[in-house]
């Protein structure tokens, strides 16, 4: 399982960056070999790490993390408390979490009647949002500060231009988005029966796990670059990154075990060493642009991941 799809991900990277119509077929092939799952402890190595380490595709890595952690783990935890049916969430569904907001125009939800919920507000960054079939949208009651609800929306139901593509100059193999809604009505059954503090606890827990998995995938991506860029002291750099990856895998595993047992989750990893390696690779490539072809040059944008999203 997996070698052929990882080879496909690596070999088609440049074409997929330049022609996004190739995205869906490639994602389905990858996700068919590595189905997103809430059973994250069942993996010896996380597929998100594999696709970054062997395919050099940090975009696919983050998208797999979103499908598994922010969609399926969140959904599983909600259903452990109260049943919530989402027929649209199938094994091949591409989901996205619409949670990050600006300081103003934050998403609110109000009941029009017993059967209809109305959403208004803005989400400023949704990983893979423009590629998504299904959104989880967090919202709050009008006049409240903390979010209290999560609603699922199939993207085909959204008003025209509600989802706008967002150019982040990173993760170019997937398309990100913003979301703007103005009194958008949806069936009240699309709102999770778990609300308020219980819901916030679930999202906080899995948000922390998401950061750990992103950290591991990012180090896998650094390892891919270290092995594919000829530079001074390359073997030493590879050893350093592989050591970092081994440490992060241990850390991530502990994070996952803590999450599934509802224990405290420590979110700190060795960020300083990761940033140091990032700087080494970035500086060398900036000073020696002739040493990298298109395949590596396009991947180098993801060295700015920590500057673009908050981990």
């Amino acid at each position: 399982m997996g070698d052929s799809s990882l080879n496909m991900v690596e070999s088609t990277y440049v074409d997929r960056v330049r022609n996004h119509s190739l995205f869906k077929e490639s994602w389905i092939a990858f996700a068919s070999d590595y189905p997103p799952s809430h059973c994250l402890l069942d993996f010896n190595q996380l597929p998100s790490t594999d696709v970054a380490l062997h395919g050099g595709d940090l975009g696919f890595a983050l998208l797999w993390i979103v499908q598994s952690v922010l969609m399926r783990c969140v959904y599983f935890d909600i259903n452990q408390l109260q049943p919530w049916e989402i027929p649209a969430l199938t094994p091949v569904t591409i989901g996205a979490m619409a949670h990050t907001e600006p300081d103003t125009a934050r998403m609110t939800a109000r009941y029009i009647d017993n059967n209809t919920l109305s959403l208004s507000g803005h989400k400023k960054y949704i990983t893979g949002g423009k590629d998504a079939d299904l959104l989880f949208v967090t919202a709050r009651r009008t006049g409240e500060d903390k979010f209290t609800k999560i609603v699922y929306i199939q993207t085909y139901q959204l008003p025209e231009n509600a989802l706008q593509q967002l150019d982040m100059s990173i993760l170019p193999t997937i398309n990100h988005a913003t979301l703007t809604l103005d009194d958008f009505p949806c069936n009240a059954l699309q709102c999770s029966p778990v609300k308020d503090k219980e819901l916030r606890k679930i999202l906080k827990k899995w948000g922390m796990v998401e950061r750990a998995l992103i950290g591991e995938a990012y180090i896998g991506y650094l390892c891919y670059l270290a092995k594919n860029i000829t530079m001074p002291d390359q073997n030493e750099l590879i050893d350093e990154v592989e050591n970092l990856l081994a440490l992060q895998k241990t850390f991530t595993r502990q994070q996952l075990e803590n999450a599934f047992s509802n224990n405290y989750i420590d979110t700190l990893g060795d960020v300083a060493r990761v940033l140091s390696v990032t700087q080494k690779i970035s500086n060398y490539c900036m000073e020696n642009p002739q040493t990298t072809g298109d395949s590596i040059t396009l991947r180098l944008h993801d060295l700015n991941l920590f500057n673009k999203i908050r981990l």
Side-chain angles (χ1 to χ4, degrees):
M1 178 184 83
D3 286 351
S4 62
S5 62
L6 290 175
N7 290 338
M8 175 276 297
V9 168
E10 181 184 31
S11 65
T12 62
Y13 185 92
V14 173
D15 290 338
R16 289 184 290 112
V17 169
R18 293 175 173 167
N19 181 5
H20 195 70
S21 67
L22 301 174
F23 160 78
K24 196 68 174 280
E25 181 180 355
S26 299
W27 172 257
I28 289 173
F30 170 66
S32 295
D33 276 352
Y34 296 94
S37 169
H38 72 276
C39 301
L40 295 172
L41 289 172
D42 291 348
F43 294 100
N44 291 324
Q45 176 152 288
L46 292 163
S48 45
T49 303
D50 268 335
V51 75
L53 176 63
H54 301 295
D57 193 334
L58 197 56
F60 268 31
L62 263 68
L63 192 60
W64 193 92
I65 292 168
V66 169
Q67 305 316 300
S68 296
V69 178
L70 298 186
M71 302 300 291
R72 287 160 179 83
C73 287
V74 167
Y75 181 55
F76 177 81
D77 267 14
I78 289 172
N79 271 280
Q80 292 294 99
L81 298 175
Q82 294 188 55
W84 187 32
E85 286 194 30
I86 306 180
L89 186 57
T90 71
V92 296
T93 299
I94 299 174
M97 177 66 76
H99 185 53
T100 306
E101 296 177 328
D103 293 332
T104 59
R106 295 187 297 173
M107 193 69 67
T108 60
R110 64 182 180 87
Y111 282 96
I112 299 174
D113 54 45
N114 290 336
N115 299 314
T116 309
L117 192 66
S118 177
L119 297 176
S120 296
H122 184 68
K123 299 291 184 179
K124 68 178 183 179
Y125 171 61
I126 308 170
T127 302
K130 195 61 176 171
D131 295 318
D133 307 305
L134 181 75
L135 299 180
F136 279 178
V137 182
T138 56
R140 62 193 46 74
R141 300 178 186 93
T142 302
E144 294 190 350
D145 181 49
K146 296 180 178 180
F147 69 87
T148 56
K149 305 178 189 303
I150 189 167
V151 181
Y152 79 83
I153 303 172
Q154 292 178 263
T155 53
Y156 78 83
Q157 298 173 320
L158 290 169
E160 187 177 2
N161 299 322
L163 270 180
Q164 291 289 317
Q165 187 162 327
L166 178 64
D167 182 10
M168 296 286 289
S169 300
I170 57 170
L171 312 175
T173 57
I174 61 176
N175 278 342
H176 319 291
T178 64
L179 174 67
T180 303
L181 298 175
D182 184 12
D183 279 331
F184 173 70
C186 57
N187 191 309
L189 293 176
Q190 293 173 232
C191 183
S192 162
V194 177
K195 301 178 174 66
D196 301 303
K197 187 177 180 179
E198 285 184 326
L199 176 62
R200 289 193 294 271
K201 183 179 178 181
I202 289 171
L203 290 187
K204 181 178 181 181
K205 176 177 73 172
W206 293 114
M208 290 177 175
V209 170
E210 178 203 21
R211 294 184 191 101
L213 267 64
I214 290 174
E216 183 176 318
Y218 183 79
I219 297 170
Y221 153 78
L222 289 180
C223 196
Y224 177 89
L225 293 181
K227 291 179 177 179
N228 285 279
I229 300 172
T230 302
M231 54 191 297
D233 301 321
Q234 183 178 15
N235 290 334
E236 290 83 352
L237 181 63
I238 292 171
D239 288 343
E240 181 179 4
V241 182
E242 288 182 338
N243 181 51
L244 267 177
L245 183 57
L247 291 172
Q248 182 66 27
K249 285 181 180 179
T250 301
F251 168 70
T252 300
R253 183 75 183 187
Q254 185 61 56
Q255 294 274 65
L256 288 171
E257 290 174 354
N258 287 345
F260 282 106
S261 60
N262 289 313
N263 290 329
Y264 175 77
I265 300 172
D266 178 9
T267 62
L268 295 178
D270 198 344
V271 176
R273 287 181 64 197
V274 173
L275 292 178
S276 175
V277 171
T278 297
Q279 201 61 51
K280 285 180 186 178
I281 295 174
S282 178
N283 288 345
Y284 178 79
C285 292
M286 287 178 64
E287 294 167 3
N288 302 274
Q290 74 282 359
T291 64
T292 59
D294 284 353
S295 176
I296 295 299
T297 299
L298 289 172
R299 287 175 163 92
L300 292 177
H301 294 291
D302 289 346
L303 290 172
N304 293 313
L305 181 73
F306 286 2
N307 297 325
K308 294 288 187 177
I309 64 175
R310 185 175 62 188
L311 293 179

